[in-house]
Amino acid sequence: MFTLLGSDPHSLARRGRLVTPHGTIETPVFMPVGTQGSVKTVHPAELKALEAQIILGNTYHLAVRPGMEVMREAGGLHKFANWDGPILTDSGGFQVFSLGKIRKIKEDGVHFQNHVDGSPMVLGPESAMEIQATLGSDIAMLFDECPPHPCTFEYASTSLDLTLRWAKRCREWIDKNQPQTNGQPQLHFGIVQGSSFAELRARSAKELVAMGFDGYAVGGVSVGEPEPEMMAAVENSIPFLPHDKPRYAMGLGTPPQMLEMIARGIDMFDCVLPTRLARHSTLFTKNGTVNIKNQTFARDFGPLDEDTHPLCHGFTRAYVRHLIKAGEILGLRLISLHNLHFYLSLMSRARKALEEGYFNEFRKEFTANYKTHTS
Ligand code: GUN
């Protein structure tokens, strides 16, 4: 299922290949986020043109709307969303924590009122796995609790115990139901938690690995902690994860952070930044982010960045600025396409660098050029 094709002699970086029921993924990989079954403003044919290998969907959002009856009738998320490539679905708990105001964490799952019509719902290990089986995603994530940052050791430890009991219940549900998609077994990834505590990260990883999953994610990162803590959370998890299984850092990150994570042994990423920042008129460039609304671009008839995707060829910064200022939707679409291309091509360049043995130089050079702005 996962083949290691090579590794970097100077870091823990790996070049791999993951076979899923709807297609093969070359790693390291960036996965565009399509929470509601749509990568915001982007057509599936454009995702293919951008060479997106896999997209994300979310259990919570899709269970609330359109609901699983519609999804069953539609024949699953691939058909419903008209995307025939691989899909990874997150298990929903994390989104309940960020969206639902009224929520209670109990042994059987999370009790909350959904954000659409306020009706009471429960999402737990069995229902999260069942919904993901109905969605027919290629990779389904286990149901977990992501502790807030900061939190005490006691909170993180008790939370981890619950996450591990939920993981065991997910394992049992999977073994009993053996969900399939496209005629092949759905893949299931465990999620390492443990907040900023090395001892908890180690325990989390070891116990999940003992239960045996198809891949492992590092969760509970990029939740407001300082960057060194985020790096440490990954460094404290990776040594306990098997070499021959894919590793996924959830909800990350900026372009330099992704390269740092690859160097620490991560293979897969998802992040809302390219599409979310597009909605704030922010463009990724090799020198960092820029806000296209800035007056300095009014007469800038150069391309969006040195490296642009063919879908963005011929469009100038001045024109895209004009579109945004005029409220024209094409502006938002062009920035989304450009930003996704930036992330996806960063990963394909990282893969090439790994294949050809210059990943370390590539990472250093990219990061030296890239400045993190907040614009
Ligand atoms: N997305 C970002 N972080 C997390 C996490 O810790 N758990 C889950 N399930 N999804 C996430």
Side-chain angles (χ1 to χ4, degrees), residues 90-95 141-146 191-193 218-221 223 248 250-251 270:
D90 198 359
S91 48
F94 182 78
Q95 287 71 28
M141 301 305 297
L142 263 57
F143 191 70
D144 61 328
E145 191 209 342
C146 174
I191 306 176
V192 177
Q193 292 290 353
V218 180
V221 284
V223 287
Y248 161 29
M250 304 193 83
D270 79 284

PDB file of all heavy atoms in Angstrom, residues 90-95 141-146 191-193 218-221 223 248 250-251 270, ligand 1:
ATOM      1  N   ASP A  90     -11.692  13.806   7.141  1.00  0.00           N
ATOM      2  CA  ASP A  90     -11.418  13.955   8.576  1.00  0.00           C
ATOM      3  C   ASP A  90     -12.668  13.491   9.325  1.00  0.00           C
ATOM      4  O   ASP A  90     -13.786  13.509   8.795  1.00  0.00           O
ATOM      5  CB  ASP A  90     -11.052  15.405   8.916  1.00  0.00           C
ATOM      6  CG  ASP A  90     -10.338  15.503  10.275  1.00  0.00           C
ATOM      7  OD1 ASP A  90     -10.168  14.457  10.935  1.00  0.00           O
ATOM      8  OD2 ASP A  90      -9.967  16.622  10.670  1.00  0.00           O
ATOM      9  N   SER A  91     -12.445  13.086  10.568  1.00  0.00           N
ATOM     10  CA  SER A  91     -13.488  12.373  11.312  1.00  0.00           C
ATOM     11  C   SER A  91     -14.517  13.276  11.975  1.00  0.00           C
ATOM     12  O   SER A  91     -15.512  12.784  12.490  1.00  0.00           O
ATOM     13  CB  SER A  91     -12.816  11.495  12.355  1.00  0.00           C
ATOM     14  OG  SER A  91     -11.849  12.250  13.055  1.00  0.00           O
ATOM     15  N   GLY A  92     -14.277  14.571  12.006  1.00  0.00           N
ATOM     16  CA  GLY A  92     -15.327  15.503  12.408  1.00  0.00           C
ATOM     17  C   GLY A  92     -15.224  16.095  13.795  1.00  0.00           C
ATOM     18  O   GLY A  92     -15.693  17.207  14.017  1.00  0.00           O
ATOM     19  N   GLY A  93     -14.605  15.364  14.718  1.00  0.00           N
ATOM     20  CA  GLY A  93     -14.537  15.868  16.096  1.00  0.00           C
ATOM     21  C   GLY A  93     -13.848  17.229  16.165  1.00  0.00           C
ATOM     22  O   GLY A  93     -14.326  18.160  16.812  1.00  0.00           O
ATOM     23  N   PHE A  94     -12.747  17.347  15.461  1.00  0.00           N
ATOM     24  CA  PHE A  94     -11.960  18.582  15.469  1.00  0.00           C
ATOM     25  C   PHE A  94     -12.810  19.768  15.025  1.00  0.00           C
ATOM     26  O   PHE A  94     -12.725  20.859  15.594  1.00  0.00           O
ATOM     27  CB  PHE A  94     -10.766  18.401  14.517  1.00  0.00           C
ATOM     28  CG  PHE A  94      -9.839  19.572  14.465  1.00  0.00           C
ATOM     29  CD1 PHE A  94      -8.914  19.789  15.467  1.00  0.00           C
ATOM     30  CD2 PHE A  94      -9.878  20.463  13.395  1.00  0.00           C
ATOM     31  CE1 PHE A  94      -8.048  20.876  15.424  1.00  0.00           C
ATOM     32  CE2 PHE A  94      -9.011  21.545  13.331  1.00  0.00           C
ATOM     33  CZ  PHE A  94      -8.099  21.745  14.353  1.00  0.00           C
ATOM     34  N   GLN A  95     -13.655  19.543  14.021  1.00  0.00           N
ATOM     35  CA  GLN A  95     -14.496  20.630  13.501  1.00  0.00           C
ATOM     36  C   GLN A  95     -15.621  20.953  14.478  1.00  0.00           C
ATOM     37  O   GLN A  95     -16.002  22.118  14.611  1.00  0.00           O
ATOM     38  CB  GLN A  95     -15.050  20.260  12.128  1.00  0.00           C
ATOM     39  CG  GLN A  95     -14.004  20.293  11.013  1.00  0.00           C
ATOM     40  CD  GLN A  95     -12.983  19.179  11.085  1.00  0.00           C
ATOM     41  OE1 GLN A  95     -13.266  18.103  11.596  1.00  0.00           O
ATOM     42  NE2 GLN A  95     -11.789  19.423  10.575  1.00  0.00           N
ATOM     43  N   MET A 141     -10.161   9.051   8.717  1.00  0.00           N
ATOM     44  CA  MET A 141      -9.415   9.321   9.944  1.00  0.00           C
ATOM     45  C   MET A 141     -10.186   8.794  11.159  1.00  0.00           C
ATOM     46  O   MET A 141     -11.420   8.833  11.187  1.00  0.00           O
ATOM     47  CB  MET A 141      -9.204  10.835  10.115  1.00  0.00           C
ATOM     48  CG  MET A 141      -8.454  11.498   8.964  1.00  0.00           C
ATOM     49  SD  MET A 141      -6.844  10.771   8.570  1.00  0.00           S
ATOM     50  CE  MET A 141      -5.939  11.073  10.090  1.00  0.00           C
ATOM     51  N   LEU A 142      -9.429   8.346  12.150  1.00  0.00           N
ATOM     52  CA  LEU A 142     -10.061   7.899  13.391  1.00  0.00           C
ATOM     53  C   LEU A 142     -10.670   9.085  14.130  1.00  0.00           C
ATOM     54  O   LEU A 142     -10.233  10.228  13.944  1.00  0.00           O
ATOM     55  CB  LEU A 142      -9.012   7.232  14.291  1.00  0.00           C
ATOM     56  CG  LEU A 142      -8.996   5.705  14.197  1.00  0.00           C
ATOM     57  CD1 LEU A 142      -8.763   5.260  12.772  1.00  0.00           C
ATOM     58  CD2 LEU A 142      -7.945   5.118  15.115  1.00  0.00           C
ATOM     59  N   PHE A 143     -11.626   8.784  14.996  1.00  0.00           N
ATOM     60  CA  PHE A 143     -12.281   9.834  15.789  1.00  0.00           C
ATOM     61  C   PHE A 143     -11.413  10.133  17.013  1.00  0.00           C
ATOM     62  O   PHE A 143     -11.047   9.223  17.766  1.00  0.00           O
ATOM     63  CB  PHE A 143     -13.671   9.348  16.213  1.00  0.00           C
ATOM     64  CG  PHE A 143     -14.521  10.438  16.787  1.00  0.00           C
ATOM     65  CD1 PHE A 143     -15.013  11.452  15.985  1.00  0.00           C
ATOM     66  CD2 PHE A 143     -14.831  10.448  18.145  1.00  0.00           C
ATOM     67  CE1 PHE A 143     -15.801  12.462  16.505  1.00  0.00           C
ATOM     68  CE2 PHE A 143     -15.624  11.461  18.676  1.00  0.00           C
ATOM     69  CZ  PHE A 143     -16.105  12.466  17.855  1.00  0.00           C
ATOM     70  N   ASP A 144     -11.089  11.414  17.196  1.00  0.00           N
ATOM     71  CA  ASP A 144     -10.151  11.799  18.264  1.00  0.00           C
ATOM     72  C   ASP A 144     -10.616  13.062  18.962  1.00  0.00           C
ATOM     73  O   ASP A 144     -11.490  13.772  18.466  1.00  0.00           O
ATOM     74  CB  ASP A 144      -8.763  12.061  17.655  1.00  0.00           C
ATOM     75  CG  ASP A 144      -8.776  13.196  16.642  1.00  0.00           C
ATOM     76  OD1 ASP A 144      -9.819  13.380  15.965  1.00  0.00           O
ATOM     77  OD2 ASP A 144      -7.777  13.920  16.517  1.00  0.00           O
ATOM     78  N   GLU A 145     -10.003  13.344  20.105  1.00  0.00           N
ATOM     79  CA  GLU A 145     -10.186  14.666  20.715  1.00  0.00           C
ATOM     80  C   GLU A 145      -8.887  15.420  20.582  1.00  0.00           C
ATOM     81  O   GLU A 145      -7.825  14.900  20.935  1.00  0.00           O
ATOM     82  CB  GLU A 145     -10.564  14.586  22.206  1.00  0.00           C
ATOM     83  CG  GLU A 145     -11.010  15.951  22.718  1.00  0.00           C
ATOM     84  CD  GLU A 145     -10.761  16.244  24.196  1.00  0.00           C
ATOM     85  OE1 GLU A 145     -10.542  15.309  24.979  1.00  0.00           O
ATOM     86  OE2 GLU A 145     -10.778  17.434  24.554  1.00  0.00           O
ATOM     87  N   CYS A 146      -8.977  16.639  20.064  1.00  0.00           N
ATOM     88  CA  CYS A 146      -7.802  17.497  19.942  1.00  0.00           C
ATOM     89  C   CYS A 146      -7.822  18.463  21.122  1.00  0.00           C
ATOM     90  O   CYS A 146      -8.656  19.362  21.164  1.00  0.00           O
ATOM     91  CB  CYS A 146      -7.860  18.249  18.611  1.00  0.00           C
ATOM     92  SG  CYS A 146      -6.568  19.467  18.427  1.00  0.00           S
ATOM     93  N   ILE A 191      -4.625   8.875  14.812  1.00  0.00           N
ATOM     94  CA  ILE A 191      -4.157  10.258  15.049  1.00  0.00           C
ATOM     95  C   ILE A 191      -3.442  10.344  16.398  1.00  0.00           C
ATOM     96  O   ILE A 191      -4.041  10.107  17.448  1.00  0.00           O
ATOM     97  CB  ILE A 191      -5.332  11.259  15.019  1.00  0.00           C
ATOM     98  CG1 ILE A 191      -6.117  11.124  13.710  1.00  0.00           C
ATOM     99  CG2 ILE A 191      -4.812  12.695  15.210  1.00  0.00           C
ATOM    100  CD1 ILE A 191      -7.367  12.013  13.634  1.00  0.00           C
ATOM    101  N   VAL A 192      -2.157  10.703  16.336  1.00  0.00           N
ATOM    102  CA  VAL A 192      -1.352  10.864  17.561  1.00  0.00           C
ATOM    103  C   VAL A 192      -1.732  12.185  18.214  1.00  0.00           C
ATOM    104  O   VAL A 192      -1.714  13.234  17.561  1.00  0.00           O
ATOM    105  CB  VAL A 192       0.157  10.851  17.230  1.00  0.00           C
ATOM    106  CG1 VAL A 192       0.992  11.088  18.484  1.00  0.00           C
ATOM    107  CG2 VAL A 192       0.546   9.534  16.567  1.00  0.00           C
ATOM    108  N   GLN A 193      -2.098  12.126  19.498  1.00  0.00           N
ATOM    109  CA  GLN A 193      -2.364  13.353  20.270  1.00  0.00           C
ATOM    110  C   GLN A 193      -1.357  13.416  21.420  1.00  0.00           C
ATOM    111  O   GLN A 193      -0.348  12.733  21.395  1.00  0.00           O
ATOM    112  CB  GLN A 193      -3.819  13.364  20.772  1.00  0.00           C
ATOM    113  CG  GLN A 193      -4.857  13.495  19.659  1.00  0.00           C
ATOM    114  CD  GLN A 193      -4.870  14.882  19.001  1.00  0.00           C
ATOM    115  OE1 GLN A 193      -4.200  15.819  19.442  1.00  0.00           O
ATOM    116  NE2 GLN A 193      -5.623  15.015  17.907  1.00  0.00           N
ATOM    117  N   VAL A 218      -0.204  13.111  12.819  1.00  0.00           N
ATOM    118  CA  VAL A 218       0.102  13.866  14.030  1.00  0.00           C
ATOM    119  C   VAL A 218      -0.964  14.948  14.110  1.00  0.00           C
ATOM    120  O   VAL A 218      -1.051  15.815  13.228  1.00  0.00           O
ATOM    121  CB  VAL A 218       1.520  14.476  13.978  1.00  0.00           C
ATOM    122  CG1 VAL A 218       1.802  15.251  15.265  1.00  0.00           C
ATOM    123  CG2 VAL A 218       2.562  13.382  13.779  1.00  0.00           C
ATOM    124  N   GLY A 219      -1.811  14.853  15.126  1.00  0.00           N
ATOM    125  CA  GLY A 219      -2.864  15.846  15.323  1.00  0.00           C
ATOM    126  C   GLY A 219      -2.502  16.772  16.470  1.00  0.00           C
ATOM    127  O   GLY A 219      -1.440  16.645  17.081  1.00  0.00           O
ATOM    128  N   GLY A 220      -3.393  17.718  16.748  1.00  0.00           N
ATOM    129  CA  GLY A 220      -3.171  18.630  17.864  1.00  0.00           C
ATOM    130  C   GLY A 220      -1.982  19.547  17.658  1.00  0.00           C
ATOM    131  O   GLY A 220      -1.346  19.982  18.615  1.00  0.00           O
ATOM    132  N   VAL A 221      -1.662  19.820  16.387  1.00  0.00           N
ATOM    133  CA  VAL A 221      -0.594  20.784  16.083  1.00  0.00           C
ATOM    134  C   VAL A 221      -1.200  21.975  15.334  1.00  0.00           C
ATOM    135  O   VAL A 221      -2.297  21.862  14.779  1.00  0.00           O
ATOM    136  CB  VAL A 221       0.559  20.153  15.259  1.00  0.00           C
ATOM    137  CG1 VAL A 221       1.440  19.297  16.133  1.00  0.00           C
ATOM    138  CG2 VAL A 221       0.027  19.349  14.077  1.00  0.00           C
ATOM    139  N   VAL A 223      -2.385  24.614  16.681  1.00  0.00           N
ATOM    140  CA  VAL A 223      -3.591  24.998  17.405  1.00  0.00           C
ATOM    141  C   VAL A 223      -3.304  26.228  18.288  1.00  0.00           C
ATOM    142  O   VAL A 223      -3.925  26.404  19.331  1.00  0.00           O
ATOM    143  CB  VAL A 223      -4.153  23.827  18.259  1.00  0.00           C
ATOM    144  CG1 VAL A 223      -4.805  22.779  17.375  1.00  0.00           C
ATOM    145  CG2 VAL A 223      -3.065  23.185  19.124  1.00  0.00           C
ATOM    146  N   TYR A 248       1.096  11.782   8.398  1.00  0.00           N
ATOM    147  CA  TYR A 248       0.330  12.950   7.944  1.00  0.00           C
ATOM    148  C   TYR A 248       0.285  13.986   9.078  1.00  0.00           C
ATOM    149  O   TYR A 248      -0.105  13.653  10.199  1.00  0.00           O
ATOM    150  CB  TYR A 248      -1.049  12.424   7.537  1.00  0.00           C
ATOM    151  CG  TYR A 248      -2.218  13.372   7.427  1.00  0.00           C
ATOM    152  CD1 TYR A 248      -2.058  14.714   7.088  1.00  0.00           C
ATOM    153  CD2 TYR A 248      -3.512  12.889   7.623  1.00  0.00           C
ATOM    154  CE1 TYR A 248      -3.160  15.552   6.974  1.00  0.00           C
ATOM    155  CE2 TYR A 248      -4.613  13.715   7.506  1.00  0.00           C
ATOM    156  CZ  TYR A 248      -4.435  15.048   7.190  1.00  0.00           C
ATOM    157  OH  TYR A 248      -5.535  15.864   7.079  1.00  0.00           O
ATOM    158  N   MET A 250      -1.603  17.061  10.445  1.00  0.00           N
ATOM    159  CA  MET A 250      -2.939  17.601  10.165  1.00  0.00           C
ATOM    160  C   MET A 250      -3.007  19.125  10.295  1.00  0.00           C
ATOM    161  O   MET A 250      -2.579  19.697  11.296  1.00  0.00           O
ATOM    162  CB  MET A 250      -3.960  16.970  11.110  1.00  0.00           C
ATOM    163  CG  MET A 250      -3.962  15.463  11.041  1.00  0.00           C
ATOM    164  SD  MET A 250      -5.388  14.737  11.868  1.00  0.00           S
ATOM    165  CE  MET A 250      -6.620  14.875  10.590  1.00  0.00           C
ATOM    166  N   GLY A 251      -3.538  19.749   9.241  1.00  0.00           N
ATOM    167  CA  GLY A 251      -3.814  21.189   9.311  1.00  0.00           C
ATOM    168  C   GLY A 251      -2.596  22.081   9.172  1.00  0.00           C
ATOM    169  O   GLY A 251      -2.612  23.217   9.621  1.00  0.00           O
ATOM    170  N   ASP A 270      -2.358  18.879   4.826  1.00  0.00           N
ATOM    171  CA  ASP A 270      -3.545  19.590   4.334  1.00  0.00           C
ATOM    172  C   ASP A 270      -3.554  20.931   5.038  1.00  0.00           C
ATOM    173  O   ASP A 270      -3.091  21.047   6.171  1.00  0.00           O
ATOM    174  CB  ASP A 270      -4.835  18.841   4.681  1.00  0.00           C
ATOM    175  CG  ASP A 270      -5.235  19.067   6.120  1.00  0.00           C
ATOM    176  OD1 ASP A 270      -4.611  18.458   7.005  1.00  0.00           O
ATOM    177  OD2 ASP A 270      -6.154  19.872   6.379  1.00  0.00           O
TER     178      ASP A 270
HETATM  179  N1  GUN B   1      -7.257  18.762  11.859  1.00  0.00           N
HETATM  180  C1  GUN B   1      -6.251  19.522  12.368  1.00  0.00           C
HETATM  181  N2  GUN B   1      -5.843  19.018  13.557  1.00  0.00           N
HETATM  182  C2  GUN B   1      -6.602  17.928  13.804  1.00  0.00           C
HETATM  183  C3  GUN B   1      -6.659  16.986  14.894  1.00  0.00           C
HETATM  184  O1  GUN B   1      -5.921  17.063  15.872  1.00  0.00           O
HETATM  185  N3  GUN B   1      -7.589  15.994  14.781  1.00  0.00           N
HETATM  186  C4  GUN B   1      -8.416  15.889  13.699  1.00  0.00           C
HETATM  187  N4  GUN B   1      -9.290  14.891  13.661  1.00  0.00           N
HETATM  188  N5  GUN B   1      -8.384  16.762  12.689  1.00  0.00           N
HETATM  189  C5  GUN B   1      -7.491  17.762  12.742  1.00  0.00           C
END
